[in-house]
Amino acid sequence: MTSPCPLCAPTGEEILYLSDLYRIIAVNDPGWPGFCRVILNSHAGEMTDLAIEHRSAIMKAVCVTESILRELMHPDKINLASLGNVVPHVHWHVIPRWEDDSHFPDPIWANAKREWSNKPKVDHQEIAARLKACLG
């Protein structure tokens, strides 16, 4: 018996924006301020499983999220990732990065290189308001 998909039956998500097709959540990880996920609401394993208009809508949401994080948080870089190796459900990671963060330039899933003492502040309410203004 396989376990249910955790993105199909989420618990405790902080939803910043919700549409019929996808949701944008704040990832609950204090180590990575501003980290968001754009998650398809229905189950599909790959972007190419989706109709082209749904792929386009998901990518628009990813790009809008990136733009808002850049404007509000001024990171040195934004990392975008759609892996699905562990959770084969269409979702995109949108991760602000700073040159002095604990892992830079490596991915956040690598081993830390240093302490990161001056983490930027994140305002999830402001991110949610801007997502609604841009996508709603």
Side-chain angles (χ1 to χ4, degrees):
M1 176 180 211
T2 60
S3 60
C5 173
L7 296 181
C8 287
T11 57
E13 288 182 335
E14 181 180 351
I15 297 175
L16 301 173
Y17 182 81
L18 179 63
S19 78
D20 290 340
L21 181 63
Y22 61 84
R23 63 195 182 274
I24 302 172
I25 68 163
V27 174
N28 183 20
D29 186 340
W32 299 105
F35 184 176
C36 294
R37 264 189 213 114
V38 179
I39 305 168
L40 183 68
N41 289 332
S42 60
H43 190 81
E46 305 294 345
M47 286 288 284
T48 53
D49 292 337
L50 307 178
I52 188 69
E53 62 270 13
H54 290 166
R55 284 184 248 164
S56 296
I58 293 279
M59 291 314 300
K60 178 181 177 182
V62 169
C63 292
V64 166
T65 303
E66 175 184 321
S67 293
I68 290 168
L69 292 172
R70 289 182 67 200
E71 183 179 324
L72 293 177
M73 300 189 74
H74 309 286
D76 296 311
K77 182 72 178 101
I78 295 280
N79 289 171
L80 300 176
S82 178
L83 306 170
N85 298 335
V86 175
V87 181
H89 180 120
V90 171
H91 64 286
W92 285 84
H93 303 272
V94 185
I95 311 162
R97 299 295 306 276
W98 290 265
E99 290 179 359
D100 65 341
D101 77 36
S102 58
H103 292 61
F104 198 89
D106 294 341
I108 67 168
W109 298 286
N111 292 322
K113 294 177 171 285
R114 66 191 74 79
E115 291 293 318
W116 186 21
S117 56
N118 60 336
K119 291 181 184 141
K121 301 291 184 213
V122 60
D123 184 343
H124 290 158
Q125 290 181 340
E126 181 63 22
I127 293 170
R130 292 190 187 208
L131 287 168
K132 184 177 180 183
C134 294
L135 297 170

